[in-house]
Amino acid sequence: MVSPRGEFTSRFGFVAAAAGSAVGLGNVWGFPTQAASNGGGAFLLIYLLLAFVLAYPVLMAELIIGRHAHTNAVTALRNISPNRLLGNIGAASGIAGCIVASLILSFYAIVAGWMIAFGLAYVADLFRLSSLPAWLTAFGLVRNTVFAGLFIAITIIIVSAGVQRGIERWSERLMPTLLLTLVALSMYVLTLDGAEQGLKIYLLPDVTRALSTELIIDALGSAFFSLSLGVGTMLIYGSYVNDKENLPALGGWVTLVDVGIAVLAGFLVLPAMYAALHNGVEIFTEGGALISEDTLIFTVLPQLFDTMGFTGSLLAIAFFFLMSIAALTSSISMLEAPVAYVVEEHSIERRSAAMLIGTVIALASCFIILNFDTLFGSVIKLTTRYGQPLLGFMFCIYAGWVWHRDALLQEIAKGYPDARNGLFWTFWPWHIRFICPLIILGIFAHMLQQQV
Ligand code: TRP
């Protein structure tokens, strides 16, 4: 292996980092809100199914290609191709992935910035700094820019430090904190009046809704975004995994942790919404729909926290701190994708690369903030609805069709000697060849159809 490349030093380090990438605003906020607006239990059921049937196999494609090539997505896809044409298409997909990852970070940083700002607002409130909380929680140009910038700056610092001292060490500390805070918060929320109704809606599926196409598409998108698929993020994390590790098992752990945290977040957010409703907070519009997803957390939860006095303030600080952590372990993985490419292909020093790309992304964030109404929603749509599924499709094609089957088996067998007779090898190769690309194409076709 090329010596200056980083590597995760332990299995826990990898799982913490990859699960850290997977767990983010998507799980802790996106999943529960979508579940709430899509019939609760029905959405949960379909999400679970799709996470294991579609997202896990695609995750494995990225991890296996990544560890085999021990390099970034661009070079990796080129290296596993049998000829120049396929090599160039692969490299182009890799570069597209870096661009999509950067664009995702540019809107992600804005939302993550709000999380930090809300957390600080509650801290400022404890110290009775009366005008600061109002500024921190009001939607303003300066506030948005300052906090998105701050968030990107922290991301740059961690990524600059490289795999072991940066990504691994931080994820190992932050992930367990996140889990503990989430468990504590949901246990507390479940004791509140009204919470029980939220719990019922979350756990009792309305089977008639589980079959609606809209719900299935939403759940699929959610699972894909949630496991950070398509942009080469997981491929690059896979490239830092030691050859001795059993990849299918590691990927399984990452999927379990990711799905587990989403489900756990549902136990916090849905009961919290209904507890807020019980306290007289409006969470539904007159038509019975949920108040806009973008604002749910930033309007409903603070109102809930405010009804709880001092404990509420402490809960709010814990909650927004938790969201900021979740966002940070995701954002470092987004920045890592383009940074690893530039470092390895253009021999630029890691620090300068992180600085340079981070600054460009920060400028993109500013641009989005300045044109918020037109750009924010469109960038999210462009990247998550089109970019991720299309690129995910490419990974299925490269793992299933382009790359030689024997090489694939050999790679899996490195840390899993009996791979040939194992369950994974029985199902996964044809699954990634046929089922996954077909499902992705299916959603994509459906989405285009809806847009017309
Ligand atoms: N999975 C993260 C979340 O749920 C977001 C994320 C991190 C991501 N890296 C990614 C999404 C790469 C798409 C692509 O919030």
Side-chain angles (χ1 to χ4, degrees):
M1 211 186 94
V2 201
S3 57
R5 279 197 103 237
E7 196 174 84
F8 289 113
T9 53
S10 71
R11 188 170 307 168
F12 177 64
F14 167 77
V15 174
S21 160
V23 177
L25 303 177
N27 309 53
V28 182
W29 167 65
F31 168 79
T33 358
Q34 279 202 329
S37 50
N38 273 310
F43 186 85
L44 175 64
L45 205 70
I46 300 292
Y47 175 85
L48 287 178
L49 196 74
L50 292 175
F52 290 102
V53 171
L54 181 75
Y56 170 69
V58 176
L59 170 70
M60 286 317 301
E62 285 203 34
L63 290 181
I64 294 170
I65 297 177
R67 189 181 63 179
H68 171 78
H70 278 309
T71 182
N72 62 84
V74 182
T75 322
L77 290 177
R78 180 178 282 135
N79 287 354
I80 61 169
S81 300
N83 60 45
R84 240 185 117 130
L85 177 66
L86 285 171
N88 287 340
I89 298 176
S93 313
I95 291 178
C98 291
I99 297 173
V100 172
S102 308
L103 281 174
I104 290 179
L105 180 51
S106 70
F107 75 74
Y108 209 79
I110 300 173
V111 183
W114 297 341
M115 297 293 169
I116 303 178
F118 268 76
L120 288 180
Y122 280 92
V123 175
D125 202 38
L126 283 186
F127 290 100
R128 309 242 172 275
L129 302 167
S130 54
S131 60
L132 200 56
W135 180 75
L136 285 168
T137 52
F139 191 92
L141 203 66
V142 181
R143 183 209 62 171
N144 286 350
T145 315
V146 167
F147 284 94
L150 175 71
F151 182 76
I152 294 181
I154 302 174
T155 307
I156 294 176
I157 293 173
I158 299 179
V159 171
S160 300
V163 174
Q164 283 146 24
R165 279 186 312 124
I167 297 171
E168 179 171 356
R169 189 161 64 170
W170 278 88
S171 303
E172 273 182 350
R173 286 181 195 165
L174 296 179
M175 284 301 291
T177 319
L178 176 107
L179 202 66
L180 284 180
T181 319
L182 202 52
V183 170
L185 267 180
S186 34
M187 284 193 343
Y188 178 80
V189 168
L190 284 175
T191 64
L192 301 175
D193 286 342
E196 203 182 317
Q197 198 194 347
L199 197 62
K200 267 194 198 138
I201 290 181
Y202 186 43
L203 292 181
L204 300 177
D206 172 357
V207 187
T208 50
R209 294 198 58 175
L211 296 175
S212 101
T213 344
E214 194 67 20
L215 182 148
I216 295 177
I217 291 170
D218 276 356
L220 201 41
S222 220
F224 229 77
F225 186 82
S226 179
L227 270 174
S228 315
L229 299 176
V231 303
T233 285
M234 285 302 182
L235 189 147
I236 197 78
Y237 273 30
S239 79
Y240 300 135
V241 176
N242 194 292
D243 279 348
K244 290 196 282 294
E245 300 292 349
N246 176 349
L247 272 186
L250 280 187
W253 273 110
V254 173
T255 311
L256 277 179
V257 171
D258 182 51
V259 170
I261 293 205
V263 173
L264 196 60
F267 281 103
L268 166 64
V269 175
L270 273 88
M273 278 170 47
Y274 284 86
L277 186 68
H278 183 84
N279 286 347
V281 175
E282 277 307 317
I283 58 170
F284 294 108
T285 59
E286 277 179 15
L290 202 64
I291 289 176
S292 160
E293 289 186 9
D294 277 358
T295 56
L296 185 77
I297 266 188
F298 302 101
T299 52
V300 169
L301 290 185
Q303 291 186 47
L304 168 73
F305 292 134
D306 291 349
T307 56
M308 291 189 274
F310 183 67
T311 325
S313 302
L314 293 185
L315 267 181
I317 293 170
F319 181 78
F320 289 112
F321 173 65
L322 164 100
M323 295 301 289
S324 309
I325 292 173
L328 193 61
T329 52
S330 296
S331 67
I332 51 184
S333 79
M334 292 175 205
L335 185 59
E336 180 65 16
V339 165
Y341 163 63
V342 172
V343 167
E344 291 172 359
E345 285 277 282
H346 302 286
S347 37
I348 296 176
E349 203 213 342
R350 173 170 271 274
R351 264 213 165 121
S352 332
M355 253 326 251
L356 195 77
I357 298 172
T359 309
V360 174
I361 294 172
L363 290 176
S365 292
C366 290
F367 194 66
I368 296 177
I369 290 170
L370 285 172
N371 303 282
F372 195 84
D373 291 339
T374 42
L375 283 185
F376 186 70
S378 346
V379 175
I380 295 181
K381 258 195 196 155
L382 183 76
T383 50
T384 61
R385 281 204 183 167
Y386 300 98
Q388 281 195 283
L390 268 182
L391 291 164
F393 177 79
M394 292 306 278
F395 280 115
C396 296
I397 299 299
Y398 271 75
W401 297 89
V402 174
W403 196 14
H404 203 277
R405 225 179 118 96
D406 294 342
L408 199 60
L409 177 61
Q410 236 172 37
E411 183 55 46
I412 299 169
K414 274 183 188 161
Y416 178 16
D418 199 24
R420 184 184 289 279
N421 304 315
L423 207 59
F424 186 74
W425 189 250
T426 314
F427 292 107
W428 184 78
W430 66 266
H431 197 87
I432 200 79
R433 270 190 141 191
F434 300 105
I435 311 281
C436 295
L438 279 178
I439 299 180
I440 295 173
L441 277 189
I443 325 157
F444 202 64
H446 189 92
M447 246 163 6
L448 287 180
Q449 208 180 19
Q450 275 192 333
Q451 231 104 79
V452 181

